[in-house]
Amino acid sequence: MYQILEKKTLNANTKLMVIEAPHVARKAEPGQFIILRVTEDGERIPLTIAEYDREKGTITIIFQEVGATTMALGQLNVGDCLHDFVGPLGKASELEGLKKVAVVGGGLGCAIAYPQAKKLHEMGCEVDLIAGFRNKDIIILEDEMKAASTNLYVVTDDGSNGRKALVTEVLKELIEAGNQYDAVIAIGPMIMMKFVAETTRPYGIKTIVSMNTIMVDGTGMCGGCRLTVGGETKFACVDGPDFDGHLVDFDGSMRRSAMYKAQEKASVERHECNLMKQEVK
Amino acid sequence: MPNMNPKKMPMPEQDPNVRNKNFDEVTLGYTPEMAVEEAQRCLNCKHKPCISGCPVQVKIPEFIALVAESKFLEAAAKIKETSALPAVCGRVCPQETQCEQKCVRGIKGEPVAIGRLERFVADYAREHGEEKPVQPAANGHKCAIVGAGPAGLTCAGDLARMGYQVTVFEALHTAGGVLMYGIPEFRLPKAIVQKEIDTLKDLGVEFVLNFVVGRSETIDELFADGYEAIFVGSGAGLPTFIGVPGENANGVYSANEYLTRINLMKAYRDGADTPILHAHKVAVVGGGNVAMDAARCAKRMGAEEVYIVYRRSEKELPARLEEIHHAKEEGIIFKFLTAPLEITADENYNVTGMKCQQMELGEPDESGRRRPVPVPGSEFTLDLDCVIAAIGTSPNPLIRTTTPGLDTNRKGCIVADEEHGITSKDGVFAGGDAVTGAATVILAMGAGKRAAAAMDEYIKNKK
Ligand SMILES: Cc1cc2nc3c(=O)[nH]c(=O)nc-3n(C[C@H](O)[C@H](O)[C@H](O)COP(=O)(O)OP(=O)(O)OC[C@H]3O[C@@H](n4cnc5c(N)ncnc54)[C@H](O)[C@@H]3O)c2cc1C
Ligand SMILES: Cc1cc2nc3c(=O)[nH]c(=O)nc-3n(C[C@H](O)[C@H](O)[C@H](O)COP(=O)(O)OP(=O)(O)OC[C@H]3O[C@@H](n4cnc5c(N)ncnc54)[C@H](O)[C@@H]3O)c2cc1C
Ligand code: SF4
Ligand code: SF4
Ligand code: FES
Ligand SMILES: [Mg+2]
């Protein structure tokens, strides 16, 4: 069960895996996610469904190794199995009826935005895809993004590839140039989504963001993933993960995401220490 | 001649100041000698009033008579005739409002310790080679169960014994429902629950974990897969928050989240992957079993001060008496007639305290309990770094929003008749917390049991 069928390294700390999970593949839609556990005592972490193949019964995940669990996941190889894999969770993105859209992806967010861009493109929607990365070394999925968009704008913070600019600058220029977007879809770090929402607010363009809050069960049972949207408490795992970016309290969510920083750091140290021990043996 | 001691045989326990630092079981259970002595307190009443207090009609005087004769395995078999999970119920049933409340020995002294005897017998049978069940001959029909809590497990077991091919679909990575993710190890060891689940597997019940009905597949799709009747025992897992400002600050948990991190994800173990806040001063808002469990877990996680903040008086506390007693012994501080007004936080959004208000009891409300009303000018603040909301849960909307034709009431509970669990949708049965809202293990089991009989009837009559 939940066997790793394929593994690719996209950049130094970003990996792609194709997982055998027919129950999930049968119903998956863009915007939904899975929750997995690597080992029997492992924590539950959410990852977006980057692609699905209903015939083969597989789900593709793309993840950045940022802490103990994603690092442990990255250690696994083709043929290994995940202990648990549940989904599809969350609401699918509402893409019906959109004719022209700007999709803004930040770093790994590009992987998360990719299935939406692809589906929109297939639906015949005009897609301007703005992909921002810190530098050229961490650019991922460039060919896939090109194929899933009408116009692709790659920018880097340091100008090492594409333009040296922030995604919000490009977005603003495109809007100012007269592009009439039905919606802007922003996926990436919360701080980036916040600024995208601020960029579109004066123009009144509908802005959809994908909230990656800390989750446990992913079924609406714990409330750990809650955030404030338009003054109301919502659960990201069941009410989202997509929300109206103009209503989300990003500052509150950013603070909640940092809740376990100290423990996460200790966990990484333990994990690295275990790896060292394995190598010594 | 019966044993006329007016008091129950006490049950050995860990010392309060030792146990409030570990997660091992608090109560240690009777020895066979103690059980026999306690069993001799039973008068074997002809009209058996105790049985009328038990939601599943355990044959109480009969099993206790067997205990008095030291026939413990026979006693276990007697209980199992009507109850599926005696090791669990003996530990968690609110006996003081059920079987023991009706016991005639309770008129002049303490009632017979029915719960403790039930637990003893079930533990004894488990430890002394209860026989593995034999898988019954298959009758060729398939049933599905949604949710592996006590309702679903009981229904699955009964159907399997009738020869049905039963599949249990569970959203989490572990079966057991609240018994696994909610009730802590020190009150209900997980190995006991796991043993009950393994027994069902021996009976041929198939468990599909990590399967969220409504997302992975809908109820209608399960019918299309060939299940002829479906039991929904999805519980009441959606937490209610307190509804005061500051509730989304870091350090505010629902009891579900706090207990899930500890029980299901083992966050209490050193080096666990799942993080949890190691708080110093904790307030748990609520007064039920869930609140007691959260408070006692917080204490065991190292908190120096743990409060139970409850807006009515001690008399109205809905928790089991034993839990209240144990919580007090372990140093939990009770703030009765106290209601939260606001949770305060620092600039990093970490909890610093909770503003509260003193209450007094006024006129009875629709529940018949006297309504707490604020005392003007009585505001005060508790210094805290963690607040846990344990003020109730309701059924999750996932199933009702993905199952056309399944009626629910305004509280989101599935509408089902009490006797058979029949819902508005053909072939769908329901019971447990999903129907009643948050209730008890034994009521959930009773509902699962009655639904199994009704499902059998339904499938037989269909052809
Ligand atoms: C709906 C959703 C979709 C996501 N999709 C992707 C994806 O496709 N690819 C990807 O690389 N990442 C994705 N994430 C983020 C991913 O879940 C976290 O990076 C991962 O949990 C980090 O775990 P860790 O133990 O490796 O790192 P840690 O060191 O434990 O955590 C690093 C940071 O990740 C966040 N985090 C920690 N635990 C959790 C948790 N249980 N749930 C959510 N966030 C957590 C915290 O903000 C934390 O500071 C998604 C998150 C959500 C909510
Ligand atoms: C902390 C705590 C302490 C308690 N203490 C006591 C006590 O001392 N005594 C007592 O009698 N009662 C107690 N209770 C109440 C008791 O546990 C419940 O009444 C009982 O567990 C209800 O059983 P159930 O089978 O209806 O639901 P649950 O036990 O809630 O099980 C429902 C199961 O269904 C699963 N599920 C939900 N939705 C889906 C879906 N869409 N697809 C698949 N699976 C799904 C859930 O993950 C869960 O495993 C306590 C409850 C809590 C939370
Ligand atoms: S099942 Fe519960 S109520 Fe019934 S006899 Fe046992 S302890 Fe009492
Ligand atoms: S009421 Fe009490 S004394 Fe009488 S049979 Fe029941 S348990 Fe025994
Ligand atoms: S992750 Fe638990 S409710 Fe959303
Ligand atoms: Mg982690």
Side-chain angles (χ1 to χ4, degrees):
Chain A
M1 279 270 268
Y2 317 128
Q3 199 179 37
I4 301 171
L5 303 177
E6 218 182 300
K7 178 183 179 183
K8 262 194 237 162
T9 300
L10 300 183
N11 71 32
N13 66 0
T14 307
K15 290 179 176 147
L16 173 153
M17 283 180 179
V18 179
I19 314 287
E20 180 177 21
H23 282 331
V24 187
R26 200 157 36 190
K27 299 289 289 285
E29 292 291 340
Q32 291 187 296
F33 62 95
I34 56 91
I35 283 190
L36 61 76
R37 285 201 311 161
V38 177
T39 58
E40 188 173 0
D41 288 325
E43 70 177 330
R44 296 171 64 99
I45 64 159
L47 296 172
T48 302
I49 295 171
E51 246 179 297
Y52 49 83
D53 188 324
R54 299 209 205 284
E55 315 252 288
K56 294 199 187 114
T58 61
I59 294 288
T60 303
I61 51 174
I62 298 176
F63 60 94
Q64 200 172 359
E65 295 174 57
V66 294
T69 303
T70 45
M71 282 154 79
L73 180 61
Q75 296 290 316
L76 298 184
N77 290 305
V78 171
D80 292 340
C81 288
L82 301 178
H83 202 278
D84 297 288
F85 197 85
V86 58
L89 300 171
K91 288 191 176 148
S93 299
E94 286 167 19
L95 305 174
E96 291 310 312
L98 299 177
K99 294 280 176 292
K100 186 175 166 87
V101 168
V103 177
V104 185
L108 180 90
C110 297
I112 304 180
Y114 167 68
Q116 271 106 319
K118 185 175 162 199
K119 172 131 186 194
L120 284 165
H121 196 62
E122 284 168 4
M123 284 162 46
C125 172
E126 197 179 330
V127 179
D128 285 348
L129 183 51
I130 309 169
F133 296 93
R134 248 178 300 127
N135 60 55
K136 72 172 190 318
D137 298 335
I138 60 171
I139 292 180
I140 52 170
L141 304 177
E142 199 168 357
D143 294 338
E144 285 86 349
M145 291 191 296
K146 200 168 275 168
S149 58
T150 319
N151 301 295
L152 174 67
Y153 305 87
V154 175
V155 297
T156 50
D157 291 0
D158 63 359
S160 56
N161 187 318
R163 221 176 114 186
K164 176 176 187 314
L166 296 172
V167 287
T168 43
E169 291 168 355
V170 179
L171 177 63
K172 192 166 162 92
E173 285 168 17
L174 288 170
I175 298 170
E176 289 286 323
N179 286 291
Q180 299 276 342
Y181 296 117
D182 299 329
V184 171
I185 299 175
I187 303 180
M190 285 190 199
I191 186 80
M192 181 210 93
M193 294 192 286
K194 175 181 167 172
F195 284 113
V196 168
E198 286 319 313
T199 305
T200 56
R201 195 189 299 275
Y203 302 98
I205 304 169
K206 177 172 164 193
T207 300
I208 303 160
V209 298
S210 177
M211 294 304 287
N212 46 346
T213 57
I214 293 180
M215 295 187 178
V216 186
D217 58 299
T219 65
M221 183 268 274
C222 78
C225 62
R226 66 196 188 277
L227 73 165
T228 314
V229 182
E232 273 181 65
T233 295
K234 298 277 179 189
F235 291 3
C237 70
V238 284
D239 300 322
D242 289 357
F243 291 99
D244 180 341
H246 293 150
L247 298 179
V248 168
D249 169 19
F250 287 102
D251 295 341
S253 286
M254 283 189 271
R255 285 182 294 211
R256 278 186 73 78
S257 288
M259 179 155 168
Y260 298 109
K261 275 277 181 275
Q263 290 181 60
E264 285 157 0
K265 191 160 159 265
S267 192
V268 169
E269 280 157 13
R270 256 194 325 271
H271 178 78
E272 283 172 342
C273 178
N274 286 342
L275 282 181
M276 298 267 279
K277 278 191 215 142
Q278 276 172 19
E279 273 158 28
V280 172
K281 261 196 283 187
Chain B
M1 197 33 214
N3 167 359
M4 289 317 288
N5 191 333
K7 294 229 174 248
K8 283 180 186 175
M9 167 65 71
M11 179 159 54
E13 300 174 346
Q14 283 193 68
D15 181 84
N17 279 315
V18 173
R19 70 176 192 242
N20 66 11
K21 294 169 195 73
N22 69 47
F23 275 83
D24 299 335
E25 194 170 13
V26 166
T27 52
L28 306 173
Y30 283 160
T31 61
E33 295 72 33
M34 292 171 176
V36 170
E37 198 177 326
E38 178 63 21
Q40 286 164 348
R41 292 184 64 228
C42 173
L43 305 174
N44 215 336
C45 312
K46 281 226 167 46
H47 56 303
K48 303 170 187 177
C50 46
I51 296 186
S52 70
C54 172
V56 297
Q57 277 88 48
V58 167
K59 296 177 179 160
I60 297 168
E62 281 142 283
F63 100 76
I64 293 182
L66 289 163
V67 175
E69 294 171 41
S70 294
K71 292 182 178 160
F72 305 136
L73 291 175
E74 287 92 329
K78 185 56 71 185
I79 299 174
K80 284 250 171 172
E81 285 175 19
T82 63
S83 169
L85 307 169
V88 175
C89 294
R91 285 174 168 81
V92 306
C93 264
Q95 287 95 7
E96 68 271 16
T97 59
Q98 297 183 353
C99 51
E100 294 182 18
Q101 190 189 39
K102 298 281 165 72
C103 174
V104 296
R105 291 297 306 262
I107 301 169
K108 279 203 190 129
E110 289 183 349
V112 175
I114 301 170
R116 292 176 187 175
L117 288 171
E118 181 168 322
R119 165 195 168 154
F120 165 79
V121 163
D123 287 354
Y124 183 93
R126 188 178 62 251
E127 286 155 16
H128 293 81
E130 212 174 9
E131 279 167 42
K132 259 199 174 190
V134 261
Q135 213 168 306
N139 68 10
H141 296 283
K142 277 170 62 173
C143 294
I145 310 283
V146 181
L153 294 177
T154 308
C155 187
D158 278 17
L159 287 169
R161 279 184 209 96
M162 295 176 214
Y164 287 94
Q165 186 186 330
V166 182
T167 310
V168 180
F169 295 97
E170 167 57 48
L172 292 174
H173 59 253
T174 306
V178 169
L179 306 182
M180 281 297 197
Y181 79 71
I183 303 181
E185 176 77 17
F186 58 80
R187 204 148 73 77
L188 179 63
K190 300 306 148 221
I192 291 175
V193 184
Q194 191 54 49
K195 174 72 208 294
E196 299 295 346
I197 291 162
D198 292 343
T199 304
L200 293 183
K201 287 183 186 162
D202 290 338
L203 274 171
V205 174
E206 186 197 0
F207 285 85
V208 179
L209 305 177
N210 296 317
F211 193 103
V212 186
V213 175
R215 290 267 191 253
S216 308
E217 270 187 47
T218 61
I219 299 265
D220 286 320
E221 286 162 333
L222 290 177
F223 278 122
D225 291 344
Y227 294 101
E228 294 162 70
I230 299 176
F231 176 76
V232 181
S234 50
L238 183 77
T240 309
F241 283 89
I242 310 167
V244 298
E247 201 152 51
N248 292 349
N250 290 344
V252 184
Y253 287 102
S254 71
N256 270 5
E257 180 179 2
Y258 193 71
L259 293 169
T260 296
R261 284 180 182 271
I262 291 175
N263 299 317
L264 188 69
M265 307 311 299
K266 312 291 177 217
Y268 65 88
R269 292 187 188 155
D270 280 339
D273 281 338
T274 301
I276 191 161
L277 193 69
H278 291 266
H280 299 282
K281 295 184 176 185
V282 180
V284 179
V285 180
N289 289 321
V290 184
M292 301 303 140
D293 284 344
R296 296 169 73 197
C297 280
K299 192 83 189 175
R300 284 164 173 75
M301 294 300 296
E304 291 98 43
E305 279 171 35
V306 182
Y307 300 94
I308 292 270
V309 172
Y310 182 57
R311 60 196 193 111
R312 299 179 197 257
S313 73
E314 175 156 15
K315 256 200 352 258
E316 285 85 18
L317 277 177
R320 294 178 76 223
L321 274 184
E322 190 184 24
E323 311 313 328
I324 299 166
H325 171 71
H326 282 153
K328 283 186 179 165
E329 281 186 342
E330 289 168 14
I332 309 296
I333 307 159
F334 285 76
K335 292 268 177 205
F336 294 115
L337 290 166
T338 304
L341 289 176
E342 182 185 349
I343 296 163
T344 54
D346 63 16
E347 65 285 359
N348 295 321
Y349 217 40
N350 295 319
V351 170
T352 55
M354 185 162 74
K355 279 200 196 119
C356 300
Q357 185 168 41
Q358 211 60 54
M359 312 295 276
E360 59 190 6
L361 292 180
E363 296 298 309
D365 62 14
E366 66 270 25
S367 73
R369 297 180 300 179
R370 292 173 64 193
R371 188 195 300 275
V373 288
V375 177
S378 64
E379 291 79 6
F380 65 97
T381 301
L382 290 173
D383 282 342
L384 304 168
D385 53 359
C386 178
V387 175
I388 301 171
I391 55 168
T393 53
S394 57
N396 185 307
L398 239 177
I399 301 228
R400 69 172 181 262
T401 53
T402 56
T403 313
L406 184 66
D407 287 352
T408 51
N409 66 18
R410 77 192 157 83
K411 288 183 178 155
C413 299
I414 299 172
V415 178
D417 88 303
E418 205 185 313
E419 212 22 62
H420 311 96
I422 297 169
T423 69
S424 58
K425 191 173 170 82
D426 189 41
V428 178
F429 298 75
D433 284 3
V435 169
T436 56
T440 62
V441 173
I442 190 74
L443 286 174
M445 282 178 42
K449 208 171 179 56
R450 290 191 301 273
M455 288 162 81
D456 178 46
E457 197 66 11
Y458 169 82
I459 290 175
K460 280 186 183 143
N461 288 338
K462 224 171 43 164
K463 297 151 291 170

